[in-house]
Amino acid sequence: MFSRQSAAIVFGCITLATVLYIPSVAEAKISAVPGRRYTIDKRHGPWMIMVTNLRGETEEARKNAAEGADALVLELRKKGLPAYVYSQEGKLRSFEAVDQLGRRQTGAYAAQRNQIAVIAGNYSSIDPTTKEGKTAQKTLEWIKNFIPTSLGKGRYIKTPGKPNPFSRAMLVPNPLLTPDELQQRKDHKHLSYLNNGLDYSLSQNPGKLTLVVATFHGDSISMKDSGDSATASRIENFEKGLKKSQSLDKAYKQSYQLVQLMRNQNFEAYVWHDRYQSYVTVGSFNNKHDPRIQTLYERFRAKQKEYGGQTHLVAESIQAKRNLKDAKEKPMLNFTMDPKPRLMTVPEL
């Protein structure tokens, strides 16, 4: 059993948040099996609640801290809140110094102590203006006022002005994620919103690679949509989410128009939107040696052409005309392609 007198319990070192309310286990369908250890991994979060840290200076104290963490995790899970343990091994760092007599001395200090954290919740955002963020914030408040029975009469280090065991709980990113991985997780939700359910979305491309032939930064004149109700609805939702960026609105509309036009001309075209621009791609390839890549590259790359006795590098274009064979007919729409198409990996959503 967990000897509550032998392990010092330090609350509030790290904290993660998860739900807006605490449902029953049956309702939440969260595993809560006695004797099982629930450990954190990179799939969790990316935002969580750091509930507390427990540590011990001796082997017995560390064992008791681990047992106490497991007991607390089980209690939170029985309340309907997914909770996990996260172990941190102690780290010693050496140093060199010079005393007042000029003598060189070496030593070591504890850069990180052995401790085990209890982390709870899985949130995609902590922004209080979002549904997920509101859930995270309300769950954090619940944690701060929670008095666990698993601690019994065990002692913990009180913080002045914060009488509850978890008063210092806080929202934190999953400690296993690097800054780049955390940013990728944030971007994934935004990219899903922009691209899921869209006709000809690049996420529907069956290959591993595709060729980017046009990039839209939204710096040209916006054009009318095709009149399709589903497309109009998607554009309307996009505009609501990005009111501050009219240029991205233009990029979104024009890239979709180009994809429709290229599809009508029998190109396997796709569209992809990110935070900064929209892309139009062609083809689906499983490796970079596919001979179709070079064929499409030659079709869309800029060409050397003569004008007025001089040679110029001129970008290719895709035009919308009633009669594509009529050179004199003025195009209704004209899209300039990227001078140098490039391969990109098909994203997974």
Side-chain angles (χ1 to χ4, degrees):
M1 292 295 293
F2 171 47
S3 174
R4 298 173 178 81
Q5 275 68 35
S6 57
I9 304 174
V10 183
F11 295 91
C13 296
I14 312 174
T15 308
L16 318 184
T18 350
V19 266
L20 179 54
Y21 67 102
I22 306 299
S24 65
V25 179
E27 180 183 354
K29 296 182 180 179
I30 294 171
S31 174
V33 181
R36 177 178 174 182
R37 167 156 283 197
Y38 296 92
T39 56
I40 189 174
D41 62 40
K42 288 190 174 184
R43 297 172 299 173
H44 298 128
W47 291 98
M48 309 177 84
I49 298 171
M50 177 64 73
V51 180
T52 189
N53 275 307
L54 298 90
R55 71 166 182 256
E57 300 301 328
T58 66
E59 187 65 31
E60 180 183 2
R62 287 192 287 272
K63 178 182 177 181
N64 292 331
E67 292 178 354
D70 287 335
L72 179 56
V73 164
L74 182 63
E75 184 172 356
L76 290 172
R77 284 180 164 268
K78 287 182 176 179
K79 294 288 186 181
L81 179 63
Y84 315 90
V85 294
Y86 170 57
S87 298
Q88 294 176 292
E89 298 298 326
K91 294 181 180 179
L92 290 177
R93 290 185 180 175
S94 59
F95 67 89
E96 292 186 358
V98 178
D99 65 15
Q100 294 179 341
L101 299 178
R103 294 173 297 187
R104 185 174 298 278
Q105 296 180 333
T106 60
Y109 68 97
Q112 178 176 292
R113 296 181 181 275
N114 283 295
Q115 57 187 12
I116 184 167
V118 174
I119 297 176
N122 294 292
Y123 307 103
S124 60
S125 172
I126 56 174
D127 183 349
T129 63
T130 65
K131 183 178 180 180
E132 278 281 296
K134 289 178 182 177
T135 297
Q137 299 290 345
K138 289 192 175 183
T139 305
L140 175 61
E141 289 305 309
W142 182 87
I143 286 287
K144 288 183 175 182
N145 293 291
F146 176 57
I147 306 296
T149 59
S150 56
L151 289 182
K153 296 181 180 179
R155 62 188 176 87
Y156 61 89
I157 300 174
K158 292 185 178 181
T159 302
K162 298 183 181 295
N164 295 328
F166 309 136
S167 296
R168 296 186 64 186
M170 68 187 78
L171 287 162
V172 298
N174 182 329
L176 296 180
L177 296 178
T178 65
D180 286 343
E181 289 172 330
L182 179 61
Q183 185 60 47
Q184 290 173 5
R185 292 281 293 272
K186 291 180 181 179
D187 289 343
H188 186 275
K189 181 179 179 181
H190 185 74
L191 293 176
S192 295
Y193 167 73
L194 291 179
N195 294 281
N196 271 343
L198 184 67
D199 289 343
Y200 313 127
S201 170
L202 186 56
S203 61
Q204 301 167 5
N205 188 308
K208 297 179 181 178
L209 299 169
T210 189
L211 189 68
V212 179
V213 294
T215 306
F216 292 87
H217 302 278
D219 51 1
S220 56
I221 298 173
S222 182
M223 304 175 189
K224 295 182 180 179
D225 63 64
S226 65
D228 178 74
S229 59
T231 302
S233 177
R234 288 285 299 179
I235 291 176
E236 181 181 357
N237 289 335
F238 180 85
E239 290 173 335
K240 290 180 180 178
L242 296 171
K243 292 180 180 179
K244 295 182 180 179
S245 183
Q246 295 301 316
S247 62
L248 287 177
D249 169 44
K250 295 174 185 177
Y252 186 93
K253 292 178 179 179
Q254 293 179 5
S255 60
Y256 188 76
Q257 282 187 313
L258 176 56
V259 166
Q260 288 182 308
L261 184 59
M262 293 180 69
R263 286 271 173 171
N264 289 337
Q265 297 181 16
N266 298 318
F267 289 105
E268 183 192 1
Y270 299 92
V271 64
W272 180 254
H273 310 290
D274 66 19
R275 291 177 180 270
Y276 309 105
Q277 55 248 323
S278 295
Y279 306 97
V280 173
T281 78
V282 292
S284 54
F285 319 105
N286 289 323
N287 64 76
K288 63 182 180 180
H289 303 295
D290 191 313
R292 295 174 298 164
I293 296 175
Q294 187 62 33
T295 301
L296 288 168
Y297 178 86
E298 291 298 326
R299 166 63 181 83
F300 291 104
R301 70 174 179 84
K303 310 291 195 307
Q304 295 284 350
K305 297 182 181 180
E306 287 192 7
Y307 291 99
Q310 293 184 336
T311 302
H312 302 271
L313 187 64
V314 181
E316 289 291 302
S317 64
I318 294 287
Q319 297 179 339
K321 300 170 66 176
R322 291 183 175 85
N323 184 359
L324 291 175
K325 296 181 179 180
D326 186 354
K328 295 182 179 180
E329 181 186 339
K330 186 177 180 179
M332 295 177 289
L333 298 175
N334 186 74
F335 296 98
T336 301
M337 314 306 285
D338 290 352
K340 189 175 181 179
R342 61 182 177 82
L343 282 175
M344 78 173 281
T345 301
V346 173
E348 295 182 6
L349 291 180

